[in-house]
Amino acid sequence: MTYCIFSDLRHYDVKGSSEHIGKLHDIYLDDETWKIKWFVVETGNWFSSNKILLDSEKIIKVSPQDGTFHVSLTQKDVEDAPSANEHLPVGDQHRNEYSYIAASHNTLLFPGYAGLMMPTTLIERPEQPVGAEKNLEELARQQADRHLRSASEIEGYTIHAADGKLGPLSDLVINADTWTIELLAVDTSKWMPGRTVVISPRSIDRISWEDRELVVMMEKETIEQSPELHSLKSIETSYMSKLNDYYRFPMGY
């Protein structure tokens, strides 16, 4: 098996048959199967950029030595590729359902001092589209993929066990043979310094966008005592076997 980690991949260059296309910006995954559905590539330059979506079938090979994705794309393919705006992950879907309005507070007056203006507050309020715009937005909501997640967004979500909160999700371990998220690394620095533990994405019961949490139905102690992972960049078959034995179910798909 070939493993890679998201924190490395997100900085890789993307190269076509004869030209540089851009940089990998994000990956979108299905939170039911944990397979990668789209690679988000940022094209263009500092003054003008555009994010396009690529599926794994376009990837020829990955070169960790020079941090490069080699893809079977021409410039015409890049121009015709779907925009990242056409398939929004759940976080962006939620954000688009709200708009913000500015609410000014009254000026506070104190004896002997000039009036002091309190800072403007942004208040979150649901949009109220009308007519054709409302119909289009409703259609977009119906067609939205409610299982599409951004790896960049869920990285940092808190892992919430059955008996309390653990640390944040620190990285995603990807099986580059199947382009599936195979392990989730947990940052234990606040409760278990110097030790990296992992869980299977299949142990995630639900994901809360509002609370920025990944809820797992296991005890904290179970995760704490799982086999330690010494390096995210050198995962061995023997380590996966230890995890399988410890958690009593296959960690891989």
Side-chain angles (χ1 to χ4, degrees):
M1 292 290 182
T2 303
Y3 295 102
C4 51
I5 56 177
F6 174 62
S7 57
D8 280 350
L9 291 186
R10 69 191 307 177
H11 303 296
Y12 275 29
D13 287 321
V14 180
K15 293 184 178 179
S17 53
S18 61
E19 57 193 356
H20 179 265
I21 293 174
K23 282 188 174 291
L24 188 68
H25 175 75
D26 201 354
I27 59 175
Y28 291 168
L29 56 96
D30 185 306
D31 67 15
E32 287 189 316
T33 64
W34 290 87
K35 289 187 69 70
I36 296 175
K37 294 192 68 172
W38 300 105
F39 293 87
V40 185
V41 179
E42 187 165 19
T43 65
N45 53 45
W46 190 83
F47 297 100
S48 176
S49 65
N50 181 45
K51 296 182 180 69
I52 62 172
L53 300 176
L54 303 179
D55 61 43
S56 59
E57 294 181 357
K58 299 295 184 182
I59 299 174
I60 300 174
K61 68 174 181 177
V62 180
S63 301
Q65 298 81 5
D66 58 0
T68 303
F69 266 98
H70 297 274
V71 297
S72 58
L73 290 176
T74 64
Q75 185 60 40
K76 182 66 165 60
D77 293 329
V78 173
E79 293 171 0
D80 294 339
S83 166
N85 292 328
E86 295 179 28
H87 299 276
L88 296 178
V90 171
D92 288 337
Q93 293 171 29
H94 279 284
R95 277 187 285 272
N96 282 358
E97 291 175 1
Y98 294 90
S99 62
Y100 293 85
I101 61 171
S104 298
H105 294 279
N106 292 329
T107 301
L108 297 182
L109 297 175
F110 298 94
Y113 291 89
L116 176 65
M117 289 295 297
M118 298 299 289
T120 298
T121 300
L122 291 180
I123 300 176
E124 194 173 46
R125 173 178 292 179
E127 291 183 352
Q128 298 296 330
V130 295
E133 181 184 357
K134 183 174 183 179
N135 293 335
L136 286 173
E137 290 197 3
E138 180 60 29
L139 180 62
R141 277 193 287 270
Q142 292 173 1
Q143 295 178 341
D145 187 344
R146 296 303 181 183
H147 295 284
L148 194 65
R149 300 281 178 173
S150 158
S152 291
E153 179 166 330
I154 65 173
E155 187 181 34
Y157 274 28
T158 300
I159 305 295
H160 198 300
D163 57 345
K165 294 181 179 181
L166 300 174
L169 174 67
S170 59
D171 217 329
L172 293 82
V173 178
I174 301 166
N175 183 331
D177 296 327
T178 60
W179 292 118
T180 303
I181 310 301
E182 204 141 291
L183 300 173
L184 303 176
V186 185
D187 180 359
T188 65
S189 58
K190 290 186 178 180
W191 53 281
M192 204 166 56
R195 196 168 190 270
T196 299
V197 296
V198 298
I199 58 175
S200 167
R202 287 186 290 176
S203 65
I204 301 298
D205 183 62
R206 63 183 177 85
I207 303 175
S208 172
W209 176 80
E210 294 83 359
D211 299 324
R212 295 181 59 81
E213 288 183 345
L214 300 170
V215 181
V216 56
M217 302 311 293
M218 286 192 293
E219 303 291 329
K220 291 171 62 175
E221 185 179 3
T222 300
I223 300 173
E224 179 180 354
Q225 295 181 357
S226 65
E228 179 181 2
L229 177 59
H230 296 287
S231 174
L232 281 170
K233 298 187 179 184
S234 58
I235 298 175
E236 300 176 351
T237 304
S238 59
Y239 176 72
M240 296 297 291
S241 297
K242 289 179 182 178
L243 287 176
N244 294 341
D245 293 340
Y246 179 80
Y247 284 115
R248 297 184 179 180
F249 65 83
M251 298 294 282
Y253 282 87

